[in-house]
Amino acid sequence: MRRLLCEGPASKASFLNVGKLNPKHLAVSLVGMGEDGHFASIFPDSPVLADLIDVDAPPGRCEANPTSSQYRRITVNLSYLLRSNRIVLLAFGERKRLLLEQPGGLPVEMLIKQDKTPVVAVWAP
């Protein structure tokens, strides 16, 4: 994974194994959004999407292997992210801005429209 994600100064970053996460409360969660409306590896074509975006599900980590990717994905479910005081959603590019305005039933809509935890969307061209 390090080979795929980290180059230059970022190569010194350390990774936190989400399997070891078990806090009852998070101060801030920072998540990115893709052009397909996914966030935090919660993809629209995940076979377990309904479980991942269920705000009333038990908080936890999940396999979220989208059919569109050859890579295995492990993430936390939306219920887990909602333990945060605030969620910051990063989005870059015009297409993502449009998705923020009209998410059209994509996973990011569940994040934006839930009312348990404030979400701050940060967009840049």
Side-chain angles (χ1 to χ4, degrees), residues 89-106:
L89 175 64
L90 296 176
F92 297 94
E94 187 61 25
R95 181 169 172 159
K96 292 179 186 179
R97 183 186 64 78
L98 295 172
L99 280 175
L100 288 172
E101 293 173 359
Q102 297 181 346
L106 294 169

Side-chain angles (χ1 to χ4, degrees), residues 109-121:
E109 183 171 30
M110 290 300 296
L111 174 63
I112 294 168
K113 291 192 172 179
Q114 58 75 33
D115 60 3
K116 293 184 177 189
T117 301
V119 175
V120 176

